[in-house]
Amino acid sequence: MAAATLLVAVLSACQSTTMGGAVGASRKQLLLVSSQEVNAGSAQAYRQTLTEAKSKRTLNTNAAYTRRVKEISARLIRQVLVFRPEARDWQWEVNVFTSPEVNAYCMPGGKIGIYTGIIDQLQLNDDELAAVIGHEIAHALREHSREKISQKVAQQQGLALVGALAGLSQGQMDMANLAGQYAVTLPFSRSMESEADVMGLELMARAGYNPAAAPNVWRKMAKLGEGGPEFLSTHPSGSTRIAELSARIPQVMPLYEEARRKR
């Protein structure tokens, strides 16, 4: 009976967080926790990150980089309505951290962080930087963190239900705490990374950034060496990924060309 109840709950929680756009990103997702819980947890983590950066004097200290990142992010954010109209009203924040770390992220709810290391070490031009930021924004639009947290909750709840007669504790099922703990740490699956790749490609094309630059980011990343940058710890790279991105470019190139005509 408990297992059947869990199955019904899981099936009813499957939905898509976005419209498909030109690239068709509308896979059904398991979403057992609320956006509010996950966004609240990530917002708290982001505030802590900003506080630490301020104390270390590493927050937005490079005016040129900060201006570039914010301008590119703003152009990309204006395109999110094609996937998720309500995301235009998120409390978006964009900050640059002075650090040699090769990393970038967009937390749930639109909290963006870019490390100067990824710009410096990859020598990113604006199109390439748009590919990185667009990829991270796509993770937030698809609520991949919420999906990963939901998968973890389903696993824990399933174990709790199956083991209820054995006296397993259910005191660890506080979803808000789980969201705060895992919203920015759970690695994404390969399917999630592929979704972020293709959605980011469409976002940058619609914003007037050349999508042909996206595969080059990963070529540059590969040249940094075996497993070096933190960015690669949860972002698989390699020839397969480059090939998948390259294959998608013709699909979004008309969007880029249209955006360029309008500018």
Side-chain angles (χ1 to χ4, degrees):
M1 186 65 167
T5 301
L6 178 63
L7 179 60
V8 170
V10 167
L11 291 176
S12 64
C14 289
Q15 56 184 293
S16 178
T17 56
T18 60
M19 297 182 295
V23 296
S26 57
R27 172 182 59 86
K28 295 293 185 183
Q29 301 165 270
L30 176 64
L31 302 169
L32 294 174
V33 298
S34 71
S35 296
Q36 291 76 13
E37 288 170 320
V38 177
N39 291 355
S42 66
Q44 180 178 3
Y46 193 70
R47 286 193 297 270
Q48 292 173 346
T49 300
L50 295 183
T51 298
E52 292 173 4
K54 287 177 183 177
S55 68
K56 296 176 181 177
R57 301 181 184 275
T58 60
L59 182 65
N60 298 324
T61 59
N62 187 314
Y65 282 6
T66 300
R67 183 172 57 253
R68 276 184 73 200
V69 168
K70 290 194 172 186
E71 287 177 354
I72 292 171
S73 297
R75 282 173 58 176
L76 292 166
I77 290 167
R78 285 196 289 271
Q79 307 307 317
V80 300
L81 76 169
V82 71
F83 292 114
R84 191 167 184 167
E86 72 272 20
R88 286 286 297 272
D89 299 324
W90 285 357
Q91 297 300 306
W92 292 90
E93 294 185 58
V94 183
N95 287 281
V96 178
F97 302 98
T98 301
S99 167
E101 186 176 346
V102 179
N103 203 6
Y105 60 79
C106 181
M107 292 183 183
K111 309 302 184 185
I112 297 173
I114 306 296
Y115 291 74
T116 56
I118 198 169
I119 302 174
D120 289 335
Q121 294 197 45
L122 298 186
Q123 291 293 293
L124 297 177
N125 61 33
D126 284 359
D127 291 321
E128 292 165 344
L129 186 52
V132 170
I133 299 173
H135 172 96
E136 297 305 322
I137 288 175
H139 278 308
L141 294 177
R142 283 293 285 167
E143 293 195 82
H144 284 151
S145 291
R146 180 183 172 201
E147 185 179 4
K148 289 294 291 184
I149 292 167
S150 295
Q151 291 169 357
K152 191 171 186 68
V153 168
Q155 180 185 35
Q156 291 179 340
Q157 292 283 20
L159 289 173
L161 286 168
V162 171
L165 295 178
L168 293 181
S169 171
Q170 302 201 18
Q172 301 301 312
M173 299 302 176
D174 184 329
M175 293 184 188
N177 287 340
L178 191 68
Q181 183 179 2
Y182 290 112
V184 296
T185 59
L186 285 176
F188 298 126
S189 69
R190 186 65 189 91
S191 65
M192 292 175 183
E193 289 295 340
S194 294
E195 285 178 338
D197 280 347
V198 298
M199 288 176 65
L201 205 64
E202 180 168 345
L203 288 173
M204 67 183 295
R206 289 182 180 275
Y209 293 105
N210 191 345
N216 202 42
V217 172
W218 299 101
R219 293 187 186 99
K220 288 184 173 183
M221 197 76 73
K223 291 180 180 178
L224 290 184
E226 276 293 319
E230 175 68 19
F231 196 73
L232 292 181
S233 64
T234 57
H235 292 66
S237 60
S239 58
T240 299
R241 184 171 206 161
I242 292 169
E244 289 174 352
L245 278 166
S246 299
R248 287 282 195 160
I249 289 172
Q251 188 176 14
V252 300
M253 188 59 75
L255 301 174
Y256 166 65
E257 292 169 349
E258 181 181 359
R260 295 298 295 173
R261 285 195 296 270
K262 291 179 178 179
R263 290 189 67 82

